[in-house]
Amino acid sequence: MHVVSAHDVRVVGSGGGRLYAAHYDGASWQEVALPRLSVLSATANAVTVRDGEVWIGGTDRNIYTDSGTPRAFVLHGNGTDWQTTYVPVPAPTGDASEDRMSVQALAVHDGTAWAGLYADRTKDRGLARWNGSTWETAAAPGGDARRPPDPSAVPALRDR
């Protein structure tokens, strides 16, 4: 959930392999049409809004196109179109079928989007930064890109 004001609230979720997003305008909720990522299983975990742009992150596990390898994704909406990107962060085990990284937190700070990542089994965390055309791993204070401290220690993630 991301609350801009009492008249601008965003929520995300998933069910039946389908992503779900809704916007509250102060009077009513409206479902937001999202691109379908996966035939079978996609989950949305995070949403943030900055300057009218919406960022949604989670995990896509499309067993029909990529042997079931889970991928961390981010959808970026500008009010008209959605852009789908995948965060190319390897699972800490080195085996994507053994563990998966998923986007668990999103923030936009000074025009830069940040994604906080988490691995299910190993409980490792990661951090990625959108450079305007692709995601790249980023080291967090006190850690490397795959084992940084808690994301709330990073100002860009804590302040949004």
Side-chain angles (χ1 to χ4, degrees), residues 32-126:
V32 176
L34 297 175
R36 188 170 180 98
L37 298 181
S38 177
V39 174
L40 191 61
S41 179
T43 57
N45 304 317
V47 61
T48 193
V49 179
R50 185 65 167 213
D51 300 327
E53 297 184 352
V54 179
W55 300 77
I56 298 171
T59 304
D60 179 20
R61 184 183 190 104
N62 189 342
I63 65 169
Y64 296 108
T65 62
D66 62 9
S67 303
T69 303
R71 299 179 292 177
F73 75 85
V74 174
L75 295 173
H76 177 214
N78 61 13
T80 305
D81 298 311
W82 289 96
Q83 176 186 16
T84 304
T85 58
Y86 290 93
V87 185
V89 177
T93 62
D95 180 0
S97 66
E98 183 66 27
D99 205 354
R100 64 180 180 164
M101 295 295 272
S102 98
V103 175
Q104 294 291 318
L106 286 167
V108 178
H109 183 70
D110 289 338
T112 301
W114 296 86
L117 307 165
Y118 183 74
D120 284 348
R121 294 187 186 173
T122 61
K123 310 300 183 219
D124 283 336
R125 295 176 293 242

